[in-house]
Amino acid sequence: MLSPALRMTAASAVLLLAAAASAFAADTPRKASLSAMGGIPINISAWGLDQESFETAVAEIGGRLEYLEAMISTYRPDSDVSRLNRGESLERTPPELSFLAFVANWIASETGGAFDITVKPLVELWQSCAAEQRLPTDAEYQAALAKVGYGGVSVLMDGTISFAQPGIMLDFGGIAKGYFADEAVDILRAAGATRCLVDVGGDIVTWQPDGEAVEPFRAGIRNPRGSGGVFAVISLDGGAVVTSGNYERYYEIDGQRYCHIFDPRSGRPVDGVLSVTLVTKSGIDADAYATAVFVMGPEVGGKFVERNDDLEAVIVFDAGSGGLEVYVSPGLVERFELLEAD
Ligand code: AMP
Ligand code: MG
């Protein structure tokens, strides 16, 4: 049984991700938009900076994201991650890459392997099957699964990343956007912003000083099945809110949609969960745990969130009877507002 403090049936269809965040404060923020990582929109809002300092900070964010993307993107054959995935060794492992791999593996062990950066063989299998419009065979599943498992990745004391066997491949797609948003917020804080919000493709990280009587940030959660409008709003004093959804990216085979998030234990695309919105302190954690709770599903994922004081979640799932249900973790109920169905 689900044990939420709040459980309801969504009136229409599913929910999608919330890219719509708005912030209210006495003064108005300076705003800028960037595009990175193959067109992912990045929206930056900062308070308390003059135009020149803001523009300098935005340029620094752009440079930082380009640096990180060149390091971890699997779309770039010359990235450090692409080289590792081809079995090459790096002369020097950038500290950011060691950090990401370390955090990812920590969260993998915390979540019983629901989050796992070694899912890439499954991603590649489904990409090629979608291109050929057929489902993977059992033999293909077994071959891919033999190369999946976070236990096969080690981060050594000097930061070197090593693989236990050939064929292991890393994919930071489930954690990178949240990390990028954290990095951008750090740059704005260092520049002297008194309050800020960064949205990297819907992964939102906010910051304002503790304990001050300021307006909370408000982040919308979209309805993925309907017109995509905001169906609920979460209020935040600071920290991160990230949504993993099944609506934007999926594989379509024979008219059937398959989720782009996999259960690394079974190799199967997750079924029945529409979106998970995860609220916690940092973007890197929010991103990874959103993906993990998506894999765990409402029963196991809800209990997991309730056991962890720092994690709160909204889970939208298919109740099986045709309707959708929304789970809201007890610690989030007071900050969660359901809007009229659109
Ligand atoms: P997100 O949108 O943050 O939930 O991340 C989804 C992306 O992470 C997918 O497109 C894959 O590249 C990767 N991924 C899929 N399943 C998993 C998983 N179980 N653990 C970690 N990363 C995953
Ligand atoms: Mg994620």
Side-chain angles (χ1 to χ4, degrees):
M1 266 299 287
L2 211 56
S3 57
L6 180 61
R7 184 176 171 157
M8 65 196 98
T9 301
S12 56
V14 185
L15 312 175
L16 183 51
L17 163 53
S22 58
F24 307 101
D27 55 344
T28 48
R30 294 190 193 278
K31 294 186 178 217
S33 297
L34 300 172
S35 172
M37 299 165 281
I40 293 178
I42 297 164
N43 294 306
I44 300 163
S45 303
W47 286 253
L49 292 177
D50 61 37
Q51 188 60 26
E52 195 186 339
S53 321
F54 180 63
E55 282 173 13
T56 305
V58 169
E60 194 183 330
I61 290 169
R64 180 79 179 141
L65 296 190
E66 165 59 26
Y67 173 78
L68 293 171
E69 191 188 347
M71 182 188 302
I72 67 173
S73 172
T74 51
Y75 297 107
R76 295 194 181 191
D78 58 339
S79 73
D80 291 313
V81 169
S82 292
R83 292 180 53 203
L84 284 173
N85 288 352
R86 286 195 298 269
E88 295 174 26
S89 47
L90 306 176
E91 276 154 33
R92 174 185 162 273
T93 308
E96 295 89 346
L97 190 54
S98 313
F99 170 73
L100 264 179
F102 182 83
V103 172
N105 262 15
W106 174 267
I107 293 175
S109 70
E110 289 274 288
T111 60
F115 184 79
D116 191 327
I117 50 168
T118 65
V119 290
K120 193 159 172 53
L122 292 165
V123 174
E124 292 190 349
L125 173 61
W126 277 82
Q127 274 167 350
S128 62
C129 285
E132 295 164 21
Q133 283 297 294
R134 64 175 183 86
L135 292 173
T137 64
D138 276 347
E140 286 172 326
Y141 264 127
Q142 293 318 320
L145 276 173
K147 294 181 271 180
V148 174
Y150 68 93
V153 179
S154 308
V155 184
L156 309 182
M157 289 295 278
D158 66 356
T160 304
I161 295 171
S162 81
F163 297 158
Q165 51 157 328
I168 290 183
M169 292 187 283
L170 304 180
D171 174 353
F172 290 102
I175 193 170
K177 285 193 292 172
Y179 174 58
F180 289 176
D182 285 338
E183 292 286 297
V185 163
D186 284 351
I187 289 169
L188 293 168
R189 290 183 62 179
T194 55
R195 186 172 195 259
C196 58
L197 179 154
V198 175
D199 175 346
V200 178
D203 288 16
I204 294 163
V205 178
T206 67
W207 176 81
Q208 62 189 335
D210 280 342
E212 295 200 4
V214 284
E215 287 280 349
F217 296 96
R218 287 161 57 82
I221 307 177
R222 282 197 191 155
N223 183 333
R225 254 188 213 163
S227 59
V230 172
F231 94 103
V233 173
I234 294 172
S235 301
L236 302 164
D237 287 340
V241 53
V242 168
T243 299
S244 277
N246 75 349
Y247 38 85
E248 273 177 338
R249 284 187 296 149
Y250 46 81
Y251 304 99
E252 192 157 334
I253 299 173
D254 233 354
Q256 184 80 27
R257 286 184 181 185
Y258 297 92
C259 187
H260 72 295
I261 299 170
F262 300 97
D263 186 328
R265 288 87 43 116
S266 69
R268 300 305 199 252
V270 177
D271 191 23
V273 180
L274 289 124
S275 73
V276 172
T277 299
L278 201 297
V279 178
T280 190
K281 290 185 183 128
S282 68
I284 188 171
D285 283 355
D287 196 353
Y289 283 114
T291 306
V293 171
F294 195 100
V295 171
M296 291 175 180
E299 299 274 346
V300 176
K303 289 197 184 86
F304 177 80
V305 163
E306 287 168 33
R307 277 200 310 274
N308 286 275
D309 288 347
D310 281 346
L311 306 180
E312 303 295 346
V314 177
I315 307 174
V316 181
F317 60 102
D318 192 332
S321 52
L324 293 178
E325 289 201 23
V326 182
Y327 161 87
V328 182
S329 61
L332 200 58
V333 170
E334 285 193 356
R335 294 184 279 143
F336 176 87
E337 184 191 345
L338 192 64
L339 306 178
E340 292 287 314
D342 62 296

